[in-house]
Amino acid sequence: MTAGASAGTDAYVPDHGDASFSVTHYALDLAYRPSGNGLSGTAMLTCRAEEELGSLSLDLHHLTPSKVRVDGRAPAKFTARRGRLRITLARPVAAGAELTVFVKYAGNPRPVRKRHLGEAGWEELTDGVIVASQPHGAPSWFPCNDRPDDKATYDVSLSVPAEYHVAGNGPAGRPSRSGATRTWRFAMDEPMATYLATLQVGRYVVHEQDGPVPMSVVAPADVGGPDFDASFGRQPEMMAAYVERFGAYPFSSYTSVITDDDLEIPLESQSLSTFGRNFVSADWSRERLVAHEMAHQWFGNAVTLRHWRDIWLHEGFACYAEWLWSEASGRGTAASHAAEHHARLAAQPQDLLLADPGPDLMFDDRVYKRGALLLHSLRTRVGDQRFFDLLRSWVAAHRGGSVTSDDFVAHCGGDVADLFDAWLRQEALPALP
Ligand SMILES: [Zn+2]
């Protein structure tokens, strides 16, 4: 039945996720009041039982469920405690069966805090909201099976006061207006991990961009000028460079949101990235992150890790994509970035295992740089033609799916297995070829 379900499914984010079922679709119908930070609404989850189910658990933090229905009927019991909504079914469900779980809920959303991971999720800005959920923040705004390997499609609507703009996963249609409220609707038809679901609320205007896919920047009205042109203004060129190297862009649109508040770090969501206004800068240290977040659309969002220990499959690739943009835009070559960062890593402690850095170090800069250096070593070994063919066929084969390091090693072929062993499974820093 569901023994062990409450223990969670991933050692890096304990107590989240339930392996006994999966979710194929989330339909979220929400309303938000910025004054008072009130969120209320309903979630309808289409689920599949992975084993015979007598009960199931959803993740939901700081929000109160008032009504639960399973296949339209009241369950035997539900309890919400310590971030888990546990539902005891009125009658067991057979393995492989489909079921719907409806939850009506409300409350004052705030980020989910974990000791070694910090805060993530729904967070109030000075005037608006950012949702940045990697890796454990999704339950701050909707009941979910919070596992990175459980990808689903989404329909999301959010009603807010009419003066606010909302950005979300997928293209925004025209909002419908009712009195002083506007309702924004988003559809994400490509499978998406829970942590990549987002809503962004602010007093924003939209800059459409003329790129190879529908692209826009959503920002406060006063954001613009030479610093904007030199960074976000180059996104269409960046997109073209990445499409050439990684293959077709995996989603139907790309949105960059620039919040009025400064942010410590930018963050990727599916088909959307979020930056603080402090990232509007002609400086390479900022522009590289505009490139980094865009590259996550292929590596992290379309092709997603099955376990958080394989975070280098996201961050190593996105970091290497920074160097590729540097090369494509006529700044330093990837080889020059590799040499510089190899020297820096060589001067740091070599006590990190790229294949399993541990939850405390999963976002350590060494994971990013060592992952990028692995890819540069692979490129040097096999040559540009085979290297970029490998990247494009990797995305094409796994788009919409979940992967492990072993999958990538197998994808690249037995003749380079020694390279992966040295970079992934040994702590000592290998020499650059
Ligand atoms: Zn990243």
Side-chain angles (χ1 to χ4, degrees):
M1 303 278 278
T2 57
S6 62
T9 62
D10 194 292
Y12 283 30
V13 184
D15 310 321
H16 285 223
D18 183 340
S20 69
F21 74 101
S22 53
V23 182
T24 54
H25 186 73
Y26 290 88
L28 310 177
D29 232 328
L30 306 173
Y32 181 65
R33 264 183 307 104
S35 72
N37 185 40
L39 181 69
S40 60
T42 62
M44 176 68 93
L45 283 58
T46 308
C47 308
R48 187 180 55 240
E50 300 296 347
E51 53 190 66
E52 188 188 333
L53 286 184
S55 64
L56 57 85
S57 290
L58 294 169
D59 300 287
L60 184 66
H61 283 246
H62 313 308
L63 297 166
T64 307
S66 56
K67 181 176 173 181
V68 174
R69 293 287 180 267
V70 177
D71 289 333
R73 302 212 183 97
K77 189 172 100 168
F78 70 90
T79 60
R81 254 188 318 149
R82 311 182 85 164
R84 294 288 256 186
L85 169 54
R86 292 171 206 279
I87 302 169
T88 307
L89 306 183
R91 63 185 65 86
V93 169
E98 197 173 88
L99 63 158
T100 61
V101 178
F102 170 89
V103 182
K104 184 177 182 194
Y105 64 103
N108 305 116
R110 59 190 158 98
V112 177
R113 180 159 186 76
K114 283 224 178 272
R115 188 183 53 78
H116 57 287
L117 295 168
E119 294 192 332
W122 186 287
E123 188 174 355
E124 286 182 271
L125 295 169
T126 305
D127 188 11
V129 169
I130 176 177
V131 178
S133 290
Q134 190 183 48
H136 58 288
S140 67
W141 67 284
F142 66 103
C144 54
N145 191 353
D146 194 29
R147 287 158 38 196
D149 62 335
D150 188 21
K151 296 170 84 167
T153 54
Y154 286 69
D155 283 296
V156 179
S157 77
L158 184 70
S159 299
V160 290
E163 62 269 31
Y164 289 91
H165 181 98
V166 181
N169 305 104
R174 282 177 78 82
S176 57
R177 185 161 185 149
S178 168
T181 300
R182 289 197 294 177
T183 300
W184 300 75
R185 289 186 171 78
F186 304 91
M188 177 43 69
D189 298 327
E190 295 283 332
M192 176 163 74
T194 47
Y195 81 94
L196 293 169
T198 194
L199 288 170
Q200 308 282 331
V201 182
R203 295 176 196 261
Y204 297 137
V205 298
V206 179
H207 302 255
E208 300 290 349
Q209 293 190 306
D210 193 11
V213 302
M215 305 174 65
S216 60
V217 179
V218 170
D222 67 326
V223 166
D227 279 344
F228 179 87
D229 295 342
S231 52
F232 290 90
R234 300 194 72 177
Q235 288 198 136
E237 283 174 79
M238 243 173 230
M239 182 64 81
Y242 286 161
V243 167
E244 191 183 328
R245 285 158 183 77
F246 307 150
Y249 178 72
F251 308 111
S252 62
S253 63
Y254 183 63
T255 307
S256 288
V257 175
I258 301 173
T259 62
D260 201 22
D261 298 47
D262 286 353
L263 297 180
E264 216 172 299
I265 47 165
L267 194 79
E268 78 274 17
S269 305
Q270 190 144 310
S271 81
L272 181 150
S273 301
T274 311
F275 304 85
R277 70 186 300 147
N278 49 317
F279 290 91
V280 181
S281 162
D283 196 276
W284 170 252
S285 68
R286 302 300 163 102
E287 185 186 331
R288 73 177 181 88
L289 295 170
V290 177
H292 178 109
E293 302 311 329
M294 186 185 285
H296 273 311
Q297 300 304 326
W298 287 263
F299 306 107
N301 303 2
V303 181
T304 308
L305 48 67
R306 190 171 287 283
H307 309 289
W308 285 111
R309 65 170 176 263
D310 288 324
I311 187 69
W312 83 275
L313 290 172
H314 298 185
E315 301 306 347
F317 283 66
C319 181
Y320 195 60
E322 299 170 24
W323 303 351
L324 291 174
W325 168 242
S326 169
E327 193 165 83
S329 59
R331 270 81 62 96
T333 61
S336 68
H337 287 286
E340 179 193 333
H341 287 288
H342 188 271
R344 283 197 208 170
L345 275 193
Q348 290 185 47
Q350 291 174 35
D351 58 358
L352 180 141
L353 208 55
L354 193 57
D356 192 4
D360 294 341
L361 294 180
M362 70 184 286
F363 297 112
D364 190 283
D365 194 55
R366 289 175 292 166
V367 170
Y368 293 54
K369 297 304 188 301
R370 188 173 171 128
L373 288 167
L374 182 162
L375 291 171
H376 189 69
S377 297
L378 176 65
R379 181 183 174 188
T380 309
R381 168 88 78 91
V382 303
D384 277 12
Q385 182 69 51
R386 181 170 157 200
F387 176 73
F388 288 108
D389 281 349
L390 283 171
L391 293 191
R392 284 186 290 268
S393 55
W394 172 246
V395 175
H398 296 287
R399 173 178 168 172
S402 311
V403 292
T404 64
S405 291
D406 287 345
D407 293 332
F408 188 65
V409 175
H411 176 77
C412 291
D415 61 322
V416 289
D418 61 306
L419 182 145
F420 284 103
D421 184 61
W423 284 95
L424 279 178
R425 304 185 215 290
Q426 316 288 332
E427 292 182 350
L429 183 67
L432 276 181

